[in-house]
Amino acid sequence: MTVRKNQATLTADEKRRFVAAVLELKRSGRYDEFVTTHNAFIIGDTDAGERTGHRSPSFLPWHRRYLLEFERALQSVDASVALPYWDWSADRTARASLWAPDFLGGTGRSLDGRVMDGPFAASAGNWPINVRVDGRAYLRRSLGTAVRELPTRAEVESVLGMATYDTAPWNSASDGFRNHLEGWRGVNLHNRVHVWVGGQMATGMSPNDPVFWLHHAYVDKLWAEWQRRHPGSGYLPAAGTPDVVDLNDRMKPWNDTSPADLLDHTAHYTFDTD
């Protein structure tokens, strides 16, 4: 069984294997397919129309399936690799271990946001940004520039305490756990982290930055924590809701999985805290 660990506890060998598998997916072209898929749903998901990956109840199960696909791709390269998660409520600064040169590399230079160290820096030659909107083919970050502070544990706890999964109108105006975790309402958790990292992470092409996977692995973990705290509160809406994915509806682009199929993460992996 795959065990997803806190990135802060990874061994040097676990970091090396994760990075090597990510680089191999990039070299083969498979990585950029994930970037293209995510950007297509960012563009297509709107408050007033069909929405699947974002601004909608299926934000969490959609990304759970998306991360599973990526993790399986990594494991096709190295079966020992699991997605680590980044607890940004604990590792809240640009000095945290995930930004070290032996793992993801650090922030970008002030001139243009270009990441200058680590395995994904342009100078290393292994990480061209191919799915992009302009001519800049290098990884960019600006940690803590557009937003000064990452979410605190107290803010996370305030969202985990919400007893209802989601509410009408089932979009970015909704109240409830999902939208407060996604970040369109309230203390803003998930969205704020994207903006804090900056660079490609602040765009629809955010998976261009490998930290995307660690961020979303933690968002996924928070969903699992919420489920444990509120065993009587399930996924909503259940059925008959236009433009969104109901409990038993199939999700694009896979069309073979519903939110109901993804409610129990332990069927696929566990976390180191389970």
Side-chain angles (χ1 to χ4, degrees):
M1 173 66 74
T2 296
V3 179
R4 295 185 179 175
K5 300 179 181 179
N6 188 324
Q7 61 79 28
T9 69
L10 295 179
T11 66
D13 186 60
E14 286 170 332
K15 291 179 182 180
R16 182 189 62 77
R17 286 176 174 272
F18 174 77
V19 168
V22 170
L23 290 176
E24 175 55 26
L25 291 184
K26 182 69 165 179
R27 187 202 63 76
S28 71
R30 294 176 70 188
Y31 193 98
D32 288 344
E33 294 173 6
F34 285 94
V35 182
T36 298
T37 295
H38 188 269
N39 190 54
F41 279 85
I42 282 278
I43 293 170
D45 293 327
T46 64
D47 275 345
E50 182 178 317
R51 48 201 182 274
T52 303
H54 310 85
R55 301 171 176 265
S56 63
S58 50
F59 167 72
L60 291 168
W62 189 91
H63 280 86
R64 178 165 285 179
R65 172 61 186 268
Y66 182 63
L67 264 64
L68 272 169
E69 292 292 318
F70 184 71
E71 188 169 56
R72 289 164 181 162
L74 292 174
Q75 290 170 346
S76 74
V77 176
D78 183 340
S80 75
V81 172
L83 278 179
Y85 63 87
W86 167 32
D87 179 352
W88 27 254
S89 72
D91 295 308
R92 304 181 64 245
T93 75
R95 298 181 299 278
S97 59
L98 79 161
W99 307 117
D102 70 336
F103 198 25
L104 301 186
T107 194
R109 63 186 181 185
S110 58
L111 173 67
D112 55 9
R114 181 169 173 159
V115 172
M116 302 301 292
D117 67 343
F120 306 105
S123 59
N126 298 315
W127 202 253
I129 302 299
N130 301 313
V131 183
R132 59 183 192 266
V133 295
D134 56 32
R136 294 176 291 180
Y138 50 84
L139 180 62
R140 292 178 289 112
R141 292 184 187 130
S142 55
L143 306 184
T145 300
V147 174
R148 295 285 301 275
E149 298 288 334
L150 286 166
T152 65
R153 187 65 204 181
E155 289 172 324
V156 169
E157 288 293 330
S158 73
V159 174
L160 289 175
M162 305 183 77
T164 301
Y165 179 80
D166 210 343
T167 64
W170 318 109
N171 60 19
S172 69
S174 299
D175 208 354
F177 166 73
R178 184 277 309 172
N179 201 31
H180 283 254
L181 175 54
E182 190 172 354
W184 301 109
R185 290 283 299 274
V187 295
N188 184 0
L189 299 183
H190 155 268
N191 288 347
R192 195 197 324 178
V193 177
H194 276 273
V195 177
W196 185 90
V197 175
Q200 281 93 0
M201 270 286 279
T203 74
M205 300 173 189
S206 48
N208 271 314
D209 191 331
V211 78
F212 172 93
W213 307 104
L214 283 72
H215 169 35
H216 270 275
Y218 186 57
V219 171
D220 185 76
K221 185 176 187 292
L222 291 179
W223 181 25
E225 287 186 27
W226 179 86
Q227 289 176 303
R228 280 195 297 272
R229 294 191 190 193
H230 305 278
S233 300
Y235 179 93
L236 295 171
T241 317
D243 293 326
V244 301
V245 180
D246 290 319
L247 177 63
N248 293 296
D249 289 348
R250 302 287 178 90
M251 290 187 295
K252 298 177 180 178
W254 310 285
N255 299 312
D256 61 1
T257 307
S258 69
D261 297 325
L262 290 162
L263 297 181
D264 180 10
H265 72 281
T266 65
H268 308 282
Y269 53 88
T270 60
F271 293 104
D272 53 1
T273 57
D274 285 346

